[in-house]
Amino acid sequence: MNVEQVMTLAPVIPVLVVHDVAHARPIAEALVEGGLPALEVTLRTPCALDVIREMAKVEGAVVGAGTVLNPDDVRASVDAGARFLVSPGLTEPLANAAIASQLPFLPGTANAGDIMRGLDMGLTHFKFFPAMTNGGIPALKALAAPLFAARFCPTGGITEQTAADWLALDAVLCVGGSWVVPAGTPDVAEIVKRARAAAALRG
């Protein structure tokens, strides 16, 4: 599976910060049931790698690692069974390690220089992050026009109410969103409901 295939599995990739491994499978099962199979587990908690391992056991789930910062994170994510990698920014050591891993890689970018560096390395798909504080839709439209080979997953500050506006941009294949899974003990029925609404955002 390449990065574009991951990005087009559903219009929304849930961005997940999971603090308890016991919550991993119920969350993943609810998201897949609701129509969101691509799951980004951020490496922001001590148990994140174990969460990836658990979620990867859920049929239909395509589990990736987010907040990947360096080559060590790449190696740990690969070992945990991640099927794609997402980072908040783009550095050469990280990009080289991610490319060498042969996993789909979605590096964070915020400006033309970031995107051009990625394009020079053979990357064409990027996270636009943090989307809202970097100028929102007008900024991405302005960047995407001259950098027309790039495709994006805007993440950061996007809500259920604004996601469709982002998805209407030709350069946007999906958005990253944290609203689908509220913090705390998972309410499976609520997650399924939110996932179904998110999955229906495009078409």
Side-chain angles (χ1 to χ4, degrees):
M1 184 173 287
N2 63 34
V3 65
E4 181 150 337
Q5 289 169 325
V6 172
M7 293 171 73
T8 54
L9 285 170
V12 177
I13 296 179
V15 178
L16 308 171
V17 183
V18 183
H19 295 273
D20 187 339
V21 177
H23 295 164
R25 291 192 68 155
I27 290 172
E29 288 165 353
L31 290 168
V32 171
E33 181 181 340
L36 301 182
L39 315 178
E40 179 189 336
V41 177
T42 62
L43 302 184
R44 299 184 200 176
T45 65
C47 64
L49 293 169
D50 289 329
V51 169
I52 291 172
R53 291 185 182 94
E54 283 301 302
M55 287 190 170
K57 298 173 185 175
V58 173
E59 185 175 355
V62 178
V63 185
T67 323
V68 176
L69 304 179
N70 52 53
D72 287 342
D73 286 345
V74 172
R75 283 189 289 273
S77 300
V78 170
D79 290 345
R83 294 174 62 186
F84 63 94
L85 305 170
V86 184
S87 66
L90 176 61
T91 67
E92 191 169 338
L94 170 61
N96 288 336
I99 292 166
S101 78
Q102 298 189 314
L103 288 183
F105 175 44
L106 197 58
T109 56
N111 54 54
D114 288 345
I115 299 162
M116 289 165 66
R117 276 188 291 277
L119 291 169
D120 283 346
M121 301 185 80
L123 302 167
T124 54
H125 294 68
F126 303 94
K127 180 165 80 165
F128 179 55
F129 176 81
M132 288 305 296
T133 54
N134 274 310
I137 288 173
L140 184 55
K141 286 175 74 172
L143 287 167
L147 302 168
F148 52 86
R151 294 294 177 266
F152 296 93
C153 174
T155 305
I158 295 170
T159 67
E160 185 176 6
Q161 291 71 38
T162 62
D165 295 333
W166 288 92
L167 291 164
L169 303 182
D170 290 341
V172 171
L173 299 183
C174 62
V175 300
S178 57
W179 77 85
V180 186
V181 179
T185 302
D187 178 339
V188 169
E190 178 64 19
I191 294 170
V192 172
K193 177 184 171 184
R194 292 184 183 211
R196 284 184 176 142
L201 280 169
R202 177 182 281 157

